[in-house]
Amino acid sequence: MAALFDAYIMVDWSAAAKPALGPNSIWIGVLMKDARLKLQFKAANIDTRLKARAFIEDIVAKLTKRGDKVLLGFDFSLGYPAGTAQALGLDTVKQAPWAAIHSHLATRYKDKPDNNSRPRFAIAAGLNYTISKGPYPFWGAPPTDRATTLSATKPDFAGQPLAEYRLAEQHLRSVPGASPKSCWQLYGAGSVGSQSLTGIPHVHALRQAWPKARVWPFEIGEGAPLTAEMLEGVEVVIAEIYPSLVKPAPEKGEVADEAQVRQIARHYADLDEKNALGAAFSTGKSHSEEQTGIITGEEGWILGV
């Protein structure tokens, strides 16, 4: 059997509030075939989110023009806990909950060339006001960005309509060595919420620009393993990744982020070569029909979990 994909692009995102390079900035790993059809890896370190999106658009255009199918992974949540779209009052009749959230965030958050992401705190405070009129569910902000509807400390999620973690994080937290954070936490050690808040609008823009792209598991697979038949007419599959699935092993001169995108790209390519990547797209057999519907309709899932 042939591999499902010809190229693997993995993105380590950043919510940095100014242009930044080096550790904790945006790293994009590209594993693609050379003239001899051998997979070769290159990493790009890009200082702003707008430039990163332009880079992705350019490299994907070149790959798809030559007929490659591309797996594009982002290391942030592509969905929010079940009920978020409804809590925001979004129209989920015309759009699925995940798509409604993507569209809503894309209208609220706009990156500028200076990479200033600080408005995300005001946006989160506004989302909190819509959802709860208080500092829930988003939390975490530096002193200058705190508000009555955005606290520095975690709110009490007990008994609240929106869970602290998606089903994907709940599952991962039971795995030894894995400690995924909540998509609601915007600031503080290990927080990932700002990456989603700043990243989803760019994923939305890419999806809108690419009619032959699909966002997994929302638009393809429906929780089942991916097959070549499902990819007919599809050029790009956008998925959520968790680079820590692979034990980090930086090579000489590599920063940790660069090593992570290299290793996770190689990991998926190796699975694909063994005809095992399709199974990694499954959301698992242990979920009920209702849970699978939540995953594919709003929350999303992590490739390979």
Side-chain angles (χ1 to χ4, degrees), residues 158-181:
Q160 296 286 1
L162 301 179
E164 182 178 0
Y165 299 102
R166 299 177 303 159
L167 290 170
E169 282 91 31
Q170 292 177 34
H171 174 78
L172 257 184
R173 290 174 71 83
S174 67
V175 176
S179 56
K181 298 290 186 177

Short mmCIF file of all heavy atoms in Angstrom, two decimals, residues 158-181:
data_model
loop_
_atom_site.label_atom_id
_atom_site.label_comp_id
_atom_site.label_asym_id
_atom_site.label_seq_id
_atom_site.Cartn_x
_atom_site.Cartn_y
_atom_site.Cartn_z
N ALA A 158 -16.07 23.08 38.92
CA ALA A 158 -17.02 22.10 39.44
C ALA A 158 -18.46 22.61 39.28
O ALA A 158 -18.78 23.72 39.70
CB ALA A 158 -16.73 21.83 40.92
N GLY A 159 -19.28 21.78 38.65
CA GLY A 159 -20.67 22.13 38.49
C GLY A 159 -20.95 23.13 37.38
O GLY A 159 -22.10 23.53 37.17
N GLN A 160 -19.91 23.55 36.67
CA GLN A 160 -20.09 24.52 35.59
C GLN A 160 -20.45 23.80 34.29
O GLN A 160 -20.13 22.62 34.11
CB GLN A 160 -18.81 25.33 35.39
CG GLN A 160 -18.43 26.21 36.58
CD GLN A 160 -19.32 27.44 36.70
OE1 GLN A 160 -20.24 27.63 35.91
NE2 GLN A 160 -19.06 28.27 37.70
N PRO A 161 -21.10 24.49 33.37
CA PRO A 161 -21.53 23.83 32.13
C PRO A 161 -20.40 23.44 31.18
O PRO A 161 -20.55 22.52 30.38
CB PRO A 161 -22.47 24.86 31.48
CG PRO A 161 -22.03 26.17 32.04
CD PRO A 161 -21.60 25.88 33.44
N LEU A 162 -19.27 24.16 31.25
CA LEU A 162 -18.15 23.86 30.37
C LEU A 162 -17.03 23.20 31.18
O LEU A 162 -16.61 23.72 32.22
CB LEU A 162 -17.63 25.13 29.69
CG LEU A 162 -18.64 25.88 28.83
CD1 LEU A 162 -18.00 27.14 28.24
CD2 LEU A 162 -19.19 25.00 27.72
N ALA A 163 -16.52 22.09 30.67
CA ALA A 163 -15.48 21.35 31.39
C ALA A 163 -14.14 22.06 31.29
O ALA A 163 -13.89 22.84 30.38
CB ALA A 163 -15.37 19.94 30.81
N GLU A 164 -13.27 21.77 32.25
CA GLU A 164 -11.93 22.34 32.22
C GLU A 164 -11.11 21.74 31.08
O GLU A 164 -10.28 22.42 30.47
CB GLU A 164 -11.22 22.09 33.55
CG GLU A 164 -9.84 22.70 33.62
CD GLU A 164 -9.16 22.50 34.98
OE1 GLU A 164 -9.78 21.88 35.87
OE2 GLU A 164 -8.01 22.96 35.13
N TYR A 165 -11.34 20.47 30.79
CA TYR A 165 -10.57 19.78 29.76
C TYR A 165 -11.50 19.14 28.73
O TYR A 165 -12.60 18.69 29.05
CB TYR A 165 -9.71 18.67 30.37
CG TYR A 165 -8.70 19.15 31.36
CD1 TYR A 165 -8.92 19.02 32.74
CD2 TYR A 165 -7.52 19.75 30.95
CE1 TYR A 165 -7.99 19.46 33.67
CE2 TYR A 165 -6.58 20.20 31.86
CZ TYR A 165 -6.82 20.05 33.22
OH TYR A 165 -5.91 20.49 34.13
N ARG A 166 -11.03 19.08 27.49
CA ARG A 166 -11.72 18.31 26.47
C ARG A 166 -11.55 16.81 26.75
O ARG A 166 -10.71 16.41 27.56
CB ARG A 166 -11.14 18.63 25.08
CG ARG A 166 -11.25 20.07 24.64
CD ARG A 166 -10.57 20.26 23.27
NE ARG A 166 -9.19 19.84 23.29
CZ ARG A 166 -8.48 19.52 22.21
NH1 ARG A 166 -9.04 19.56 21.02
NH2 ARG A 166 -7.23 19.16 22.31
N LEU A 167 -12.29 15.99 26.04
CA LEU A 167 -12.13 14.55 26.18
C LEU A 167 -10.70 14.12 25.85
O LEU A 167 -10.17 13.20 26.46
CB LEU A 167 -13.13 13.82 25.27
CG LEU A 167 -14.60 13.93 25.68
CD1 LEU A 167 -15.49 13.38 24.56
CD2 LEU A 167 -14.86 13.18 26.97
N ALA A 168 -10.09 14.79 24.87
CA ALA A 168 -8.71 14.45 24.47
C ALA A 168 -7.74 14.65 25.63
O ALA A 168 -6.89 13.80 25.90
CB ALA A 168 -8.29 15.28 23.27
N GLU A 169 -7.84 15.81 26.31
CA GLU A 169 -6.94 16.06 27.45
C GLU A 169 -7.26 15.12 28.62
O GLU A 169 -6.35 14.66 29.31
CB GLU A 169 -7.04 17.51 27.91
CG GLU A 169 -6.30 18.50 27.05
CD GLU A 169 -7.17 19.07 25.96
OE1 GLU A 169 -8.40 19.21 26.17
OE2 GLU A 169 -6.63 19.37 24.88
N GLN A 170 -8.53 14.86 28.83
CA GLN A 170 -8.91 13.94 29.91
C GLN A 170 -8.26 12.59 29.69
O GLN A 170 -7.76 11.96 30.62
CB GLN A 170 -10.43 13.82 29.98
CG GLN A 170 -11.14 15.08 30.44
CD GLN A 170 -12.65 14.92 30.42
OE1 GLN A 170 -13.19 13.84 30.69
NE2 GLN A 170 -13.35 15.99 30.08
N HIS A 171 -8.26 12.14 28.44
CA HIS A 171 -7.63 10.86 28.12
C HIS A 171 -6.12 10.94 28.31
O HIS A 171 -5.51 10.05 28.94
CB HIS A 171 -7.95 10.46 26.69
CG HIS A 171 -7.23 9.23 26.23
ND1 HIS A 171 -7.63 7.96 26.59
CD2 HIS A 171 -6.11 9.07 25.46
CE1 HIS A 171 -6.79 7.08 26.06
NE2 HIS A 171 -5.87 7.72 25.37
N LEU A 172 -5.50 12.00 27.79
CA LEU A 172 -4.04 12.12 27.87
C LEU A 172 -3.55 12.21 29.31
O LEU A 172 -2.48 11.72 29.63
CB LEU A 172 -3.58 13.35 27.10
CG LEU A 172 -2.96 13.14 25.71
CD1 LEU A 172 -2.49 14.46 25.15
CD2 LEU A 172 -1.84 12.13 25.75
N ARG A 173 -4.34 12.85 30.16
CA ARG A 173 -3.90 13.03 31.55
C ARG A 173 -3.84 11.70 32.31
O ARG A 173 -3.27 11.62 33.39
CB ARG A 173 -4.83 14.01 32.26
CG ARG A 173 -4.65 15.44 31.76
CD ARG A 173 -5.66 16.40 32.37
NE ARG A 173 -5.39 16.64 33.78
CZ ARG A 173 -4.52 17.53 34.23
NH1 ARG A 173 -3.81 18.27 33.39
NH2 ARG A 173 -4.34 17.70 35.53
N SER A 174 -4.43 10.65 31.73
CA SER A 174 -4.34 9.33 32.35
C SER A 174 -3.13 8.55 31.85
O SER A 174 -2.85 7.45 32.33
CB SER A 174 -5.62 8.53 32.05
OG SER A 174 -5.72 8.22 30.67
N VAL A 175 -2.41 9.13 30.88
CA VAL A 175 -1.23 8.47 30.31
C VAL A 175 0.00 8.89 31.11
O VAL A 175 0.26 10.08 31.27
CB VAL A 175 -1.07 8.85 28.83
CG1 VAL A 175 0.21 8.24 28.26
CG2 VAL A 175 -2.29 8.41 28.03
N PRO A 176 0.79 7.94 31.62
CA PRO A 176 1.99 8.29 32.38
C PRO A 176 2.93 9.20 31.60
O PRO A 176 3.22 8.96 30.43
CB PRO A 176 2.65 6.93 32.64
CG PRO A 176 1.52 5.95 32.58
CD PRO A 176 0.58 6.48 31.53
N GLY A 177 3.34 10.31 32.24
CA GLY A 177 4.27 11.23 31.62
C GLY A 177 3.63 12.34 30.83
O GLY A 177 4.30 13.31 30.46
N ALA A 178 2.34 12.24 30.53
CA ALA A 178 1.64 13.27 29.76
C ALA A 178 0.92 14.22 30.72
O ALA A 178 0.29 13.78 31.67
CB ALA A 178 0.65 12.65 28.80
N SER A 179 1.04 15.50 30.47
CA SER A 179 0.38 16.48 31.34
C SER A 179 -0.15 17.66 30.51
O SER A 179 0.34 18.78 30.65
CB SER A 179 1.35 16.99 32.40
OG SER A 179 2.52 17.52 31.80
N PRO A 180 -1.09 17.40 29.61
CA PRO A 180 -1.63 18.48 28.78
C PRO A 180 -2.35 19.52 29.62
O PRO A 180 -3.01 19.21 30.61
CB PRO A 180 -2.59 17.75 27.85
CG PRO A 180 -3.03 16.56 28.64
CD PRO A 180 -1.82 16.14 29.41
N LYS A 181 -2.23 20.77 29.20
CA LYS A 181 -2.88 21.87 29.90
C LYS A 181 -4.27 22.12 29.31
O LYS A 181 -4.60 21.65 28.23
CB LYS A 181 -2.02 23.13 29.79
CG LYS A 181 -0.64 23.02 30.42
CD LYS A 181 -0.73 22.95 31.93
CE LYS A 181 0.66 22.98 32.56
NZ LYS A 181 0.61 22.98 34.04
#
